Amino acid sequence: MRITSDIPEHAACAEAILLGFVACARLMIRAGAVPAFPPRDGSVRYQLEPPGEEDWKLPHRVLSDTWGDCEDIALWECAGLQETGADPGAVVRIIRTSREKLHAAVQLSDGSIHDACIELMTPEDRRKYTDAD
């Protein structure tokens, strides 16, 4: 099934919708359809979508496509932390990284931010990302 929607470009709206995606990803993990966390073996990588395109993907699509962008990776990571009990209070947060750019990452129960995208970047993309800070 394919569902599309136009939502306001507001972090709180995106976070509310991501709650449902996290819940669905938890069900997939619980059923054994996907691993609890995005693999760190090179089989899945972080990749930006083309500007103006947003295709929020659940873990099974990230696995089949072999890549996901920030909200895809963050919602999967968050679901894994919650489902395994490693951090039941983890949530996905939308962070404004510039005037025009939003980024999804996981806020852990202790308030710190974990960005699994960095671990899934190619070495070249990781250098560009860290040099931009």
Side-chain angles (χ1 to χ4, degrees), residues 5-17 54 56 94 96 102:
S5 179
D6 291 320
I7 64 166
E9 193 167 322
H10 191 278
C13 287
E15 287 175 359
I17 293 169
E54 275 301 323
W56 290 13
I94 304 295
R96 184 165 295 283
L102 298 173

Side-chain angles (χ1 to χ4, degrees), residues 87 89-93 95 105-115:
D87 191 342
V91 294
V92 177
R93 292 288 183 225
I95 304 158
V106 177
Q107 182 177 9
L108 304 175
S109 294
D110 67 6
S112 65
I113 298 292
H114 174 70
D115 189 353

Side-chain angles (χ1 to χ4, degrees), residues 41-52:
D41 62 2
S43 61
V44 170
R45 70 187 188 290
Y46 166 76
Q47 177 179 309
L48 284 172
E49 291 171 326

Side-chain angles (χ1 to χ4, degrees), residues 42-69:
S43 61
V44 170
R45 70 187 188 290
Y46 166 76
Q47 177 179 309
L48 284 172
E49 291 171 326
E53 290 185 29
E54 275 301 323
D55 181 16
W56 290 13
K57 301 188 290 189
L58 289 166
H60 71 290
R61 284 227 11 249
V62 174
L63 280 172
S64 68
D65 292 349
T66 69
W67 67 274
D69 73 350

